[in-house]
Amino acid sequence: MGFLGKMRDRLTPARPTTRALGNAAEDRALAHLQSAGLQLLERNYRTPGRGGGEIDLVLRERDGTLVFAEVRSRASRDWGGAGASIGAVKQRRLVFAARHYLLRWPSPPPCRFDAVLVDGDQIEWLRAAFDAE
């Protein structure tokens, strides 16, 4: 790379990676849920092996309900926003991961699947966004 290319790279602000943007959205979502009284049990729970699933946040409500929260982020609400990206395949993977997570519990408590949508500067918390069927 020549001198001008190096100078251009130094002057161009680095764009955050997709992972960094996702982590920032999860941080915001977690802070939002904790301010509502939920307690974090686990972050980014993954099932072993390929083809499994991941749960962004596993939390507990004050009443003992386990909450499996999916965090989705989009820069804006254009094209359906963050909520439009939680389709049937994603839901099945979340349910699979939740069932795997619950294997460690001798007697699983009531559970639900929530979604936290981060669209630009707005956060929307959807309780019971979908069912495990």
Side-chain angles (χ1 to χ4, degrees), residues 15-98:
R15 285 189 227 155
T17 64
T18 303
R19 180 175 293 243
L21 292 171
N23 287 340
E26 279 185 20
D27 290 343
R28 288 182 61 202
L30 177 57
H32 185 79
L33 296 174
Q34 287 176 322
S35 72
L38 280 73
Q39 175 190 10
L40 179 66
L41 299 179
E42 191 138 3
R43 189 168 176 169
N44 301 120
Y45 175 79
R46 288 179 176 84
T47 59
R50 295 179 55 101
E54 177 190 353
I55 302 169
D56 294 326
L57 303 169
V58 181
L59 307 111
R60 185 169 236 171
E61 284 267 21
R62 289 183 182 127
D63 68 0
T65 300
L66 276 185
V67 176
F68 300 104
E70 173 66 8
V71 179
R72 300 304 268 190
S73 176
R74 295 294 182 266
S76 71
R77 290 183 184 232
D78 296 345
W79 299 286
S85 66
I86 307 174
V89 171
K90 181 64 177 175
Q91 290 178 27
R92 279 194 301 274
R93 287 186 175 160
L94 289 166
V95 170
F96 176 81

